[in-house]
Amino acid sequence: TVLNENFAAGRKLKTDLIEKALGMQNSADWQKTTLAFIKLQEEWKKHPGYGDKEEPRLYKKFRNACNTFFDAKKAHLASKDASYENNLKTKEEIVLRVSKFVPGDDENANREQLKTFTNQWNAAGLVPMKEKKRINEAFYNKLDELYEKMNLGKEEKELIQFKSKVERMAVSENAFDI
């Protein structure tokens, strides 16, 4: 009958969508795969079951594949957020150490200490986006104060800052975030 043919065509289409979803469910390419899953879900919605008795079983398989991916993505982002919070604590400790640093008479030792602070800062990693501007301004303002106390020439100070920025870009996950 025509109804059974429609059900069979719908099952075939949905089975293909399920296969695509199952193939992507373990992907760690969060951005690309999220967009692909959204497209699959939109495609699924375009083809209602119209009372096919197989629809609930097919939908359950499809939904499970979607949930597998999105649950893994959520867990990944939660762990990433936790690491960003730890990085923020580390950077706050570095700002505190920079604030307490008093330059001595040995200019080379002073430069080395500032370089050490900068290397520690760069190694500390990314922080939550909402805290990024605040913590960066605190650190770089303190460094600027120390450069002023050390009576570095403008060119030398700019060279040190430029090298610092290049080093940050080299270790950054996304150099455009610097």
Side-chain angles (χ1 to χ4, degrees), residues 45-61:
K45 289 176 191 174
K46 289 180 186 176
H47 304 283
Y50 297 117
D52 182 359
K53 66 180 185 199
E54 293 295 313
E55 179 70 16
R57 183 184 63 78
L58 294 172
Y59 182 72
K60 184 176 180 182
K61 283 177 91 172

Side-chain angles (χ1 to χ4, degrees), residues 75-87:
H76 169 76
L77 293 176
S79 71
K80 195 172 178 181
D81 287 347
S83 75
Y84 285 2
E85 288 295 332
N86 287 335
N87 295 349

Side-chain angles (χ1 to χ4, degrees), residues 111 114 140-165:
R111 282 188 185 91
L114 294 185
Y140 290 107
N141 287 342
K142 293 294 179 189
L143 272 187
D144 284 345
E145 289 173 21
L146 290 171
Y147 289 137
E148 295 298 323
K149 286 180 185 176
M150 291 170 49
N151 295 320
L152 295 179
K154 183 179 178 186
E155 289 178 9
E156 186 177 6
K157 178 181 167 188
E158 287 174 354
L159 180 62
I160 292 170
Q161 290 172 326
F162 176 75
K163 285 180 180 179
S164 172
K165 186 158 188 148

Side-chain angles (χ1 to χ4, degrees), residues 84-100 117 120-121 124-128 130-139 142:
Y84 285 2
E85 288 295 332
N86 287 335
N87 295 349
L88 178 62
K89 288 176 187 166
T90 301
K91 286 191 171 189
E92 286 172 341
E93 291 168 4
I94 294 169
V95 168
L96 191 61
R97 288 198 306 272
V98 170
S99 298
K100 292 179 179 179
F117 286 140
Q120 291 170 347
W121 183 264
L126 299 174
V127 299
K130 65 182 186 225
E131 299 289 345
K132 181 180 170 187
K133 183 177 179 184
R134 176 190 65 80
I135 196 73
N136 280 344
E137 283 180 359
F139 178 72
K142 293 294 179 189

